Amino acid sequence: MRIALGVEYDGSAFRGWQSQAIGLTVQDTLEAALSAIAAHPLRVQASGRTDTGVHATAQVVHFDTSAMRPDTAWVRGCNALLPPSVAVRWATPVADDFNARFSAHSRSYRYCLYNHPVRPALSATLAGWFHRPLDEVRMQAAATALIGTHDFSAFRSSECQARSPVRTLSGLTLMRQGDWIMFDLTANAFLHHMVRNIIGALVEVGCSRRDPPWVGELLAGQDRRLGAPTFSASGLYLAGVGYDACWHLPASQQGLRLPAIGPGVAPG
């Protein structure tokens, strides 16, 4: 039987999603809890990896098991064994050819940025921070150059293992409320550090170090060395994974699950 899960986690204390020999990853933690419920070792595959310090409100995984358990066991049973920073949101049987990674047609991320002269305390590991005033109109103007199918080499980590730097960014919008700026990005897939490098470039424009056309020039130049520093992982959330209706995932999987931080939430 193949089971799909929706998983939420605070990535602050983890070395990213992917299993490592040293442990301390979300995958290792989740697999230990699931294996205990299944009473046999099992492995999970996720819709995508997240780096050290990156969070998720809507990670999707699948695994195969011979154990017959009600859906509630995979949710409540696992959550009883997981640390407070990781929670299974839902579980459902899926077709044997469903794959959390390869069946997904899009991924969406939200970046939460606290724009204030004084750094936050309570949300120090849950939000990015920039001390100088940022102009969201300038940033949105710059962002338009990134929409579409492009070679995103200029926004790609030198450690990226993707075979191609070409990605289709279908959405990049900004919303400001008070001292909070939310960046919402959707693409068919993302390169390593792609979102954080885009945020870094837009911040350069927002604080007037660069003019909006610079982002388009950076994209065209395909040279990561000319870009802005990679922005903090703290504010980044995997907030949605898109699948076709034929997979019959729960209704709660449709649309974005936005982080419980941002406009209207005191940063400390």
Side-chain angles (χ1 to χ4, degrees):
M1 178 179 292
R2 180 159 290 188
I3 305 292
L5 303 178
V7 185
E8 174 180 294
Y9 51 86
D10 174 347
S12 305
F14 294 101
R15 295 176 179 269
W17 163 264
Q18 189 173 15
S19 180
Q20 300 181 25
I22 196 174
L24 299 177
T25 70
V26 182
Q27 182 178 2
D28 293 324
T29 302
L30 180 61
E31 286 178 349
L34 290 169
S35 296
I37 298 299
H40 69 80
L42 54 77
R43 300 286 286 175
V44 303
Q45 182 166 347
S47 63
R49 305 170 186 174
T50 53
D51 291 335
T52 299
V54 176
H55 320 293
T57 61
Q59 177 69 279
V60 177
V61 309
H62 81 263
F63 63 91
D64 295 324
T65 180
S66 57
M68 300 299 292
R69 303 285 187 270
D71 295 348
T72 53
W74 300 119
V75 178
R76 290 202 288 263
C78 280
N79 287 342
L81 301 174
L82 289 168
S85 54
V86 184
V88 176
R89 303 286 305 188
W90 53 262
T92 188
V94 288
D96 290 344
D97 56 345
F98 172 81
N99 185 290
R101 178 183 176 189
F102 296 113
S103 299
H105 58 70
S106 67
R107 285 86 176 164
S108 296
Y109 282 87
R110 167 166 279 198
Y111 196 94
C112 300
L113 178 61
Y114 184 54
N115 184 208
H116 190 276
V118 179
R119 64 174 176 81
L122 298 182
S123 61
T125 61
L126 299 175
W129 170 59
F130 192 75
H131 63 290
R132 291 175 55 185
L134 294 172
D135 185 331
E136 66 274 17
V137 175
R138 286 172 56 89
M139 291 191 289
Q140 187 67 74
T144 58
L146 303 177
I147 301 297
T149 301
H150 305 287
D151 181 323
F152 281 93
S153 292
F155 301 93
R156 177 185 193 180
S157 164
S158 60
E159 300 175 356
C160 183
Q161 299 176 358
R163 294 181 180 178
S164 170
V166 176
R167 294 292 185 268
T168 300
L169 187 67
S170 57
L172 201 178
T173 59
L174 286 74
M175 175 185 70
R176 178 158 200 148
Q177 184 172 331
D179 296 323
W180 288 97
I181 304 175
M182 301 296 150
F183 301 79
D184 290 320
L185 302 91
T186 297
N188 60 336
F190 288 88
L191 301 167
H192 190 211
H193 287 176
M194 178 174 159
V195 175
R196 292 164 59 191
N197 289 333
I198 288 175
I199 301 303
L202 295 180
V203 166
E204 290 286 295
V205 172
C207 71
S208 297
R209 287 182 183 145
R210 301 279 189 169
D211 291 327
W214 173 73
V215 171
E217 295 165 2
L218 181 62
L219 177 70
Q222 301 178 9
D223 189 343
R224 172 69 194 116
R225 295 170 299 176
L226 302 178
T230 302
F231 222 70
S232 166
S234 299
L236 185 58
Y237 296 77
L238 175 59
V241 185
Y243 295 95
D244 290 337
C246 65
W247 300 116
H248 304 293
L249 296 185
S252 61
Q253 173 58 28
Q254 309 309 315
L256 300 182
R257 283 202 73 249
L258 300 178
I261 189 170
V265 179

